Amino acid sequence: MPAFPGDPVDDIAAALGALPSGTPVSEVARRLLDLFTGGSIASGTRLPPERQLATTLGVGRSAVREALAALEILGIVDVRPGSGTYLRGAASELLPQTLRWGLLIGERNTAQLLELREGLEIFVARLAAARADAAILARLEKDVTRMHATIDDLAAFAKADLDFHHALAEAAGNATLTDHLHVIRSLLQVYADRAVHDRAHAERATAEHEAVLAGVKAGDGDAAASAMAVHMATATARLLAERAG
């Protein structure tokens, strides 16, 4: 029997407990995943709202939102606009699925998944250079401007960074490619912290995004792909170094 019958919002929130200050999105996602697969919550249960989860965990709402978005793409939760977030299945159904993800993103395979992300992001940049319209270019420029403006607010900076990549993928015009990238990003978000952690990294990332944008604006696929390759190499090296540390 579920430990939280009826409408267990408050009980679920209380079961989570607070996380240390500065906890990354990956740890928020893992804490939620541990609770969701623990067998105490029935399939279809409505989960606490973002604000309540953020207060209980002691993290920002953006971290909870990103963690839930990652778990939704992986099939763990169902986010219904205007209604709430619900657990998709019982623990017996979710656990085998999360174990499969765990095997895929284990320590040995993290580098391989990062290589796959690099290749897809580079291809996206090349396609975007050939297909981006004026509206997408305006969005990309706005995102880079936001990165400059939030260089000292790393949470907001990370959002601008992600929005840039989303707009670039939209410009590529390949839904299958975009879906694959969504899954890969979500896996990395659950099992590794992808955000920059200091101003120097943020400044370098901004310059790298500007180079990608310049290639896309010029309609130069080679330049856009080369700039993205540089950016992916930097991001991958940072993430692997953090995991090793």
Side-chain angles (χ1 to χ4, degrees), residues 67-83:
L68 289 175
L71 294 178
E72 181 181 29
I73 290 174
L74 298 182
I76 307 301
V77 300
D78 180 19
V79 179
R80 306 174 193 172
S83 177

Side-chain angles (χ1 to χ4, degrees), residues 6-32:
D7 186 6
V9 168
D10 291 336
D11 291 333
I12 292 173
L16 287 167
L19 289 167
S21 177
T23 297
V25 173
S26 57
E27 186 57 38
V28 175
R30 281 195 292 269
R31 174 65 67 86
L32 294 174

